Each structure stands twice: as C-alpha cells, then as structure tokens.
Amino acid sequence: MSAHSQSTAGSGIAPGAASTPRKRQPNGADFVIRLLERQGIDVIAGIPGGANLPLYDALGRAGSIRHVLARHEQGAGFMAQGMARVTGRPAVFFATSGPGATNTLTAIADAKLDSVPVVCITGQVPLGLVGSDAFQEVDIYGMSIPVTKHNFLVRSVDELAEVIPAAFRIAASGRPGPVLVDIPKNVQMAPVDQAVFDNPPQPGLPAPPPAPDPADISRAAMLLNAARRPMLYLGGGVVASGASDMAVQLAERAGLPTVMTLMALGAMPAGHPLSLGMLGMHAARHTNLLLAECDVLLVAGARFDDRAVGKAERFCPDATIIHIDIDESELDKILPVHCGITGDVGLALAELLPLLRPRAEAGREAWLTRVEECRRRHPFVMPGAEDPRTPYGLIRCAADAVDHDAIVATDVGQHQMRTAQAYPLRGPRRWLTSGGLGTMGFGLPAAIGAALARPEATVLCFTGDGSLQMNIQELATAAEEGVNVKILLADNNALGLVRQQQELFYEGRLVASGYRVKVDFARIAEGFGVPAVDLDASEHPLRDLADALRAPGPCLIRVTVPAEANVYPMVPPGADNLQMIGGEPEPADAAANPDEDAATTSATAPGGRHVHA
Amino acid sequence: MSTPDIAPDAARSAHPVPVPHAAPDARPLVALRLVVNNHPGVMSHVCGLFARRAFNVEAILCTPVNGGEVSRIWLLVVDDERLEQMVRQVRKLHDVLDVRRQPAGGEAFARLADCMAAWESETAG
Ligand SMILES: Cc1ncc(C[n+]2csc(CCOP(=O)(O)OP(=O)(O)O)c2C)c(N)n1
Ligand SMILES: [Mg+2]
C-alpha cells in the first residue's frame, strides 16, 4: 500500500539507517516494537519528539508497523480509540515527553470514562533527569493516575518484558480502559541481551472473564419471571463483552422491551420491535414514560450515568433493579440494587437465558400492548427527515445512502444527540461517540482510527462547526492516509447545545455560544487536501450527498442548519426523566394527554416545541 | 459545618449526601489494611483515589514487608455508608494486592501519635 510505505519512509529519521545491516545489539526501543508486533499491533498513531526518538528509530527500522502521523497528540489518542472501539482490541499511540504527553490526557480521560482499551506510550526524559525540571519534563505518570486504568513508569530496561504485556492485559481485561506507559529515553536506548530479544515473553491477553454467581442468576430469573412489566436496559458493557446478540435473544425470549444508553446504541438493531432506542436526556418521550412504569428492570453493563437516568432517586421509582456489571464498584454506586451480579455480562445473560419463562408463558402481552400504545401516542418526531438540508434529514439521508455496515462517529453537541436519536444503527461496534466525557473534537480523529482499522467500511463522521474546529488539523492526516471518512457537518455557526441550554435554562441570554466569524469549511477542507461538497449550493442535494458518500477517500459535506433548532425532547440537567421538554407531535394532542400533563410540569421551551417551529 | 439536609426522596439514593469531613470522633473509625507493590508511585495511587472521591483519611502508616518487595499500608478512615464503595475502588488498583477491613478503636493510632511525639521531642533542638 502506497500510503503505508510513504508514511513509514516519511518518518525515516536517518536515511542511511535503512541500509545498515541488522547486526547491532537491540535496545529497549527495539524490544518495545518487538513486543508491540507480538501483540498484533499493525498501526500506531503518534507524533515524534526528542524523548521518543529511539522508539521512532526502532519503528522505522523494524518496518513492520504502519505509523500514522497525527497533527496533535489528542488526535493520535482518538485515532487509537477509533481503532479500539471498532475492533474491541487495544490500540496504541505514541507521544513524546512534556507537551506531547500532556496533549494526550484528554483522549486518555475519554477512554477511561468510556472503558476503551488503549495503550499510550510516552517518551520521558532520561531517568537521571527525572525530577529535575529538565527540558520537556512533566510528571505524566502522576498526571495520568486519575485518568488511566493503570500506568507505569519504566525504571529499567529489564522491566519492559513484564510491563508491555501487562499494559495490554490490563487494558483489555475485565472492564477495559486506558493504560499509559512512560519510558525514559535512557531505557529506550539501553542495550537488550540478544537472548532476551530473541525470546520475548508471551503477549499480554485479557484475563478470562469472571463468571457470575449462579445463585445471583437464579434470583434474577425469579424476579424477572414474576415481573408484569419488565424491561431490559443495555449499557456499553454489553458491546464491550460482545454480548449484543445474547442480549437480543434474551429480550426476544422473555418479551422484554429494551432501552439502550448512548454507549450501547446498536446493541439491539434499530427497528427491532422490542427496541425503544436510547433512554434519558434526549430519549423519545415514550421511552422515558415506559421506564417509569416498569416493575423489574434488568440493567446490563451500564453505570446509571446521570444523562441516562436523570435524577437517580426518581428513576424507575417502582422497579426492582437487577444489575449485572463486570466492575463490582458499579453495583450500588448510584442506586441501591435489589440483585447485584458481578461478572461478565455475556456470561451472565447466557446463564440467565434458559431460566427465563418464554414470553407467551410469562403473560407479557398486556405489557407489550401498553408499550405499543405508548409508542403510538408519544412517537419520536423527526421534522425534515426527508430533506438532507435539515439537521435530522442530513442524518437520515446519509444513512439511506450507505450500507448497514457503515461505521458512525460523532462529535459532541446537538448533532451528536440527533445522530443518537435518528441514525438507524444495525449492530454493535459501529458507533463511536464520546459518551462519558463528552469531548468535542473526538469525531474526526476517532473516525480516522476506525477507517484505519476497517479500511473496507464507509465511516461517517457527524460533526458540528464547534467540534470540528477542535481537531480540524486531522483533516491533513485524513488526506495523507486517504481514509474513507465522510465528514457530515451540520453548520449552525454556533455552539448549538450550549445555546440551547442558555435559551431554555438561562432565560434566553446567549453568552459566548455564537460565532461572529463564519468559517468557510469547504475551503478549509480543500486547503487540507480533502474534497468538499456544500449542500447549500447544491441543486440536487440528495444526489450530491449520495455521490459524495460513494466516492472513495475522505470528503467533507456541509450544510447550514439553523442555530435556533433545538434538540427535543430534553430533560433538564438534574431533573427526573419525566420532566421532558418538547418533542410532542402536536402541541394540542400533548396537552390533552392526562399522563403527560402530570409528567411535563414546566419550563416550556421558549423556542417552541418543534425542531423547525 | 452542618450536614446538609437529606432530601426525602434521597432515601433511594445509594449515597444520599457526600459526608463532609466529619470530626474523627463523630463516627466510628475503621482501619483498612492494604498490601501493595512497593514502588514510588503507589502512595500517589492510593492517596489520590481517596482524595478524588472526597473521602478523608484520618491517619496513615506505611511500612515495607518481605524485604521491601511489598508494603503494608494502614489507613484509618471514618466508617460511613460510602466506605464499601471506597473499598471496591481500592480493590481495582493494580498495585494493591490485598485489602482488609479491621475494626479500629483508634488506640493503635493514638499510640502511634505518642510515638511520633516522642520522636519529635527526641530530635527537637
Ligand atoms: C472540549 C469541550 N469543550 C466544551 C464542551 C461544552 N460543549 C458541549 S456541546 C458544545 C457545543 C458544540 O458545538 P458544535 O460542535 O458546533 O455542535 P452543535 O451543538 O452546534 O451541533 C460545547 C461547547 C465540550 N463538550 N467539550
Ligand atoms: Mg455548531
């Protein structure tokens, strides 16, 4: 592949080195690359600098791993996340000491909150200088403790054989997460015995997933079998444990209406008769209404984030809660659960499945009829879905133009919430969004990473003008690598989601949420070497959209959307999930609904109820 | 500082109110005995975890064991409703090999305080 040889050669630091016969004694850096090869790593994103030059030199000499030169270390971190999120396997990124290392922190914190297995390898000043405020020295070990699952400062070259496999094992075991390995330059340069080099340790693999306690499983089965209005609540852990199919089977067997967190979207395919989509702050009205009615809630691989459950004390007030999670500290953390099950979600669901009474026997029809009735009465409204020049239409029309295996990344803002609401995801590991940290700037580099790991797929990146500007430099990386990333920009020249909160909760005082300069994103993209399509100017927007999505390689597609268009329904931050604002099909209908009156107390959106009022 | 009122519906919450730093004698104390890998970063991992989760440590003692491969840390903490959550979080630290909860009357730590006072007076001047 030309991009490959180009990028490896492009990082060639010493042109003469390639011709040097490989008889020199290997050093720590060579050993690290060797260990990464053995972990199956074939792409690394990163940026070189003084303190990690030996690693780059070793990478260039080995020639076995493709390097993708990011334009910012945060971008490199999100590229690694993109790879890890679509494959489920740990991905690696490199940064130098000091500013290179501090630039990685946001991407690492993001991986921590969304339980994504990545390994960040930073160069550090030589050990002898550590603690002396040397040039480009920061204590990245200390700084990354709160945002990593675990981290290492390698103090001697002898530790590498243990630390590198351990980093991968820890990143991928149990609840996955980011691991940082800080390697001082002298450790990278220290000689490694040829015998050690030739007999590297086994690669670090995930520990076998912990099995749940059978007694807990039977208790859960009893509760579910006795339930009259049970529901299933899927979180990101279901995707992480590869349990999506199992979850769908279980829901089908027992007749469980199913909701998903932002992280779990795709675990049950959109359009499945039992799927009620995403719960929480921007859920369809019927989803939150039905949750409040359920009597037994089976929560799998989720952590009761406040954006999902709203005010925790009022969440599913009448429900007995069964909670399965691989991380014991999540049980009873936010809500006391009646039946806590520690273990791998996939194993737990597989054991639970045969113990559940089949749907017909369990007498679920009344409940499922109620679910359908509520869904009909409080449908999700998606104005403009047919027109690619509206906020929802851009998402729906793009989805129609690509196949079911397309990967979907988002940035953070209104466009993200709309994509979560409207994009029909058909399976797991195709949905990349910054859920826990909500990091603007995630989308483009994560999409690049996904495309690197899945070159055959089309990767859509739904973004906003604010978010895109946070890692816009990665357009150059996209162009250089020729990745199949389609950036779909809903340009409202505003920090739309912030503006929305100011409109709804700060009496319409718009402070610092609109831009005064209008950026010409099409020209910017072209300047970076990425072709652009402006749907505003298009005579046949649907056709131009489809053509742009079909052409190979990166592309930016932009459309102007109104800054006043809010995302509804919306639960105000801190409120319970029944306090939904907006999103009714017809204002008159909604007012006539008795149960709705009780639910929607308040704060009617000044901007009206419809996205295009 | 007074404890904020617990809202009526907070009974449903796993942790109704973050307990502000309680006077050591207001609540029973408990000792956590940790066995940890002995390297320079371990104290940051352990202490940082308590600080981040707003859980005060009343007293701390750390000594190497087994020739210094591992260390033993004793933490004296208030036994409140968040302790179980803290213990579970501590168990997740990869450098922590073992965590045990032991009842602590505080006398042991009082004796230590005496001991420290003695050291300080010995070395003073
Ligand atoms: C790094 C970062 N800074 C600030 C925020 C707060 N924030 C959340 S959404 C948002 C606006 C996003 O604007 P844009 O990307 O244009 O999306 P839109 O809401 O307009 O669709 C901001 C500033 C954030 N989530 N991340
Ligand atoms: Mg915007």
Side-chain angles (χ1 to χ4, degrees):
Chain A
M1 180 184 271
S2 70
H4 178 178
S5 48
Q6 187 197 352
S7 60
T8 317
S11 67
I13 282 120
S19 56
T20 313
R22 210 186 161 125
K23 230 14 212 156
R24 50 187 286 288
Q25 184 176 10
N27 63 20
D30 294 311
F31 198 38
V32 170
I33 300 300
R34 181 89 207 269
L35 295 170
L36 295 179
E37 288 167 359
R38 288 172 60 79
Q39 292 293 151
I41 296 301
D42 51 10
V43 182
I44 293 175
I47 302 186
N52 67 355
L53 274 175
L55 277 169
Y56 271 86
D57 194 33
L59 188 68
R61 265 183 284 112
S64 49
I65 297 178
R66 173 179 178 185
H67 182 261
V68 171
L69 180 59
R71 267 47 173 183
H72 188 293
E73 289 83 358
Q74 187 187 110
F78 285 138
M79 286 174 207
Q81 274 212 41
M83 297 187 247
R85 286 184 192 235
V86 297
T87 62
R89 292 192 308 272
V92 176
F93 61 114
F94 278 1
T96 191
S97 66
T102 53
N103 273 351
T104 66
L105 286 172
T106 301
I108 296 175
D110 189 280
K112 177 84 180 321
L113 282 168
D114 284 350
S115 305
V116 179
V118 288
V119 176
C120 174
I121 299 183
T122 47
Q124 181 55 282
V125 302
L127 207 53
L129 291 179
V130 165
S132 73
D133 304 317
F135 177 63
Q136 294 193 331
E137 181 195 357
V138 298
D139 173 16
I140 197 65
Y141 177 86
M143 290 169 106
S144 63
I145 289 173
V147 294
T148 49
K149 184 173 174 188
H150 191 56
N151 61 5
F152 297 94
L153 168 56
V154 182
R155 292 176 173 276
S156 114
V157 71
D158 304 330
E159 293 178 13
L160 288 171
E162 205 176 310
V163 167
I164 301 292
F168 282 85
R169 179 174 40 75
I170 292 168
S173 296
R175 178 179 183 171
V179 176
L180 180 135
V181 184
D182 196 25
I183 312 182
K185 192 171 184 179
N186 65 307
V187 173
Q188 298 172 42
M189 302 199 328
V192 171
D193 251 12
Q194 192 67 46
V196 172
F197 189 83
D198 291 339
N199 296 289
Q202 289 305 307
L205 299 175
D213 181 343
D216 292 338
I217 298 287
S218 11
R219 217 154 65 79
M222 258 168 46
L223 290 168
L224 280 163
N225 285 337
R228 291 175 49 226
R229 298 181 307 279
M231 282 178 91
L232 177 59
Y233 172 144
L234 306 178
V238 172
V239 176
S241 80
S244 305
D245 286 346
M246 187 55 68
V248 173
Q249 275 182 49
L250 185 125
E252 286 170 351
R253 176 179 169 101
L256 306 178
T258 301
V259 300
M260 286 166 273
T261 65
L262 180 64
M263 291 301 296
L265 291 176
M268 178 178 270
H272 189 287
L274 289 168
S275 171
L276 297 175
M278 180 173 70
L279 82 159
M281 185 174 272
H282 293 290
R285 302 184 77 88
H286 60 262
T287 309
N288 285 340
L289 291 171
L290 287 164
L291 270 166
E293 293 176 25
C294 87
D295 66 350
V296 175
L297 184 65
L298 172 58
V299 182
R303 59 182 177 86
F304 299 103
D305 183 83
D306 49 276
R307 294 288 145 123
V309 302
K311 194 177 174 66
E313 305 84 66
R314 303 242 186 91
F315 178 69
C316 294
D318 303 326
T320 299
I321 297 177
I322 305 162
H323 186 189
I324 310 169
D325 205 285
I326 199 161
D327 180 352
E328 193 193 16
S329 69
E330 288 301 343
L331 306 179
D332 295 314
K333 186 181 82 174
I334 303 292
L335 278 176
V337 293
H338 305 84
C339 176
I341 303 174
T342 309
D344 178 70
V345 174
L347 294 178
L349 294 181
E351 284 178 26
L352 192 54
L353 181 82
L355 306 184
L356 294 187
R357 287 163 71 195
R359 168 177 171 165
E361 256 176 61
R364 292 284 147 70
E365 296 318 308
W367 171 226
L368 291 170
T369 306
R370 162 65 192 148
V371 168
E372 282 323 304
E373 181 227 7
C374 187
R375 201 207 292 263
R376 241 179 297 111
R377 204 147 140 195
H378 306 279
F380 178 65
V381 286
M382 210 188 294
E386 315 282 302
D387 176 358
R389 290 193 283 210
T390 69
Y392 283 112
L394 179 66
I395 297 162
R396 298 292 293 196
C397 296
D400 285 344
V402 297
D403 62 36
H404 286 180
D405 293 329
I407 293 165
V408 182
T410 77
D411 256 304
V412 171
Q414 292 177 322
H415 62 276
Q416 174 193 32
M417 291 300 117
R418 289 192 181 108
T419 311
Q421 292 172 326
Y423 195 97
L425 288 161
R426 311 286 175 174
R429 296 220 176 277
R430 294 164 208 182
W431 170 242
L432 292 78
T433 200
S434 172
L437 198 62
T439 313
M440 292 168 69
F442 170 91
L444 173 57
I448 293 172
L452 290 168
R454 291 263 179 278
E456 73 292 350
T458 299
V459 182
L460 305 180
C461 171
F462 290 95
T463 187
D465 48 306
S467 295
L468 185 57
Q469 289 182 75
M470 290 227 182
N471 271 320
I472 198 160
Q473 74 287 346
E474 303 307 335
L475 282 170
T477 316
E480 197 159 278
E481 300 296 329
V483 287
N484 198 19
V485 168
K486 315 300 181 193
I487 303 157
L488 294 126
L489 168 62
D491 186 356
N492 54 12
N493 206 34
L495 301 169
L497 202 56
V498 172
R499 187 191 187 285
Q500 171 165 352
Q501 296 216 29
Q502 291 175 336
E503 185 184 324
L504 298 181
F505 312 121
Y506 294 86
E507 298 173 339
R509 289 185 299 275
L510 305 182
V511 182
S513 57
Y515 293 118
R516 279 174 291 148
V517 164
K518 197 159 170 36
V519 173
D520 184 342
F521 285 99
R523 268 179 76 193
I524 296 273
E526 283 163 357
F528 275 113
V530 171
V533 175
D534 193 337
L535 292 186
D536 285 3
S538 165
E539 289 191 9
H540 303 286
L542 261 182
R543 203 179 64 200
D544 290 349
L545 173 64
D547 289 349
L549 293 176
R550 220 171 298 118
C555 169
L556 179 123
I557 299 154
R558 80 162 286 283
V559 66
T560 301
V561 299
E564 312 76 52
N566 288 340
V567 184
Y568 293 122
M570 179 179 197
V571 175
D576 74 70
N577 275 352
L578 292 181
Q579 312 287 311
M580 291 175 276
I581 300 172
E584 300 95 339
E586 292 287 311
D589 281 8
N593 278 336
D595 57 353
E596 187 120 321
D597 281 343
T600 317
T601 47
S602 62
T604 313
R609 300 153 185 274
H610 284 276
V611 174
H612 280 132
Chain B
M1 200 166 88
S2 69
T3 311
D5 284 341
I6 298 177
D9 57 6
R12 183 92 196 289
S13 157
H15 307 291
V17 185
V19 177
H21 175 189
D25 55 350
R27 301 236 192 183
L29 294 172
V30 65
L32 298 180
R33 179 186 180 278
L34 279 53
V35 178
V36 301
N37 287 325
N38 182 9
H39 68 77
V42 174
M43 281 304 239
S44 309
H45 274 272
V46 173
C47 297
L49 178 64
F50 280 82
R52 267 198 306 288
R53 298 199 177 250
F55 203 100
N56 198 55
V57 174
E58 303 296 335
I60 185 164
L61 177 63
C62 177
T63 56
V65 290
N66 282 356
E69 269 287 290
V70 298
S71 300
R72 184 173 48 182
I73 301 179
W74 282 74
L75 300 168
L76 190 67
V77 296
V78 168
D79 190 3
D80 72 21
E81 61 281 1
R82 296 179 311 145
L83 183 62
E84 174 59 24
Q85 168 65 201
M86 269 321 298
V87 170
R88 290 179 184 185
Q89 295 291 353
V90 173
R91 287 214 169 95
K92 290 204 293 183
L93 296 177
H94 285 268
D95 282 322
V96 173
L97 310 174
D98 185 51
V99 187
R100 265 174 233 181
R101 232 180 292 199
Q102 325 235 150
E107 310 84 36
F109 280 88
R111 280 206 296 281
L112 265 173
D114 291 345
C115 184
M116 276 193 263
W119 282 338
E120 282 166 8
S121 61
E122 263 174 41
T123 51

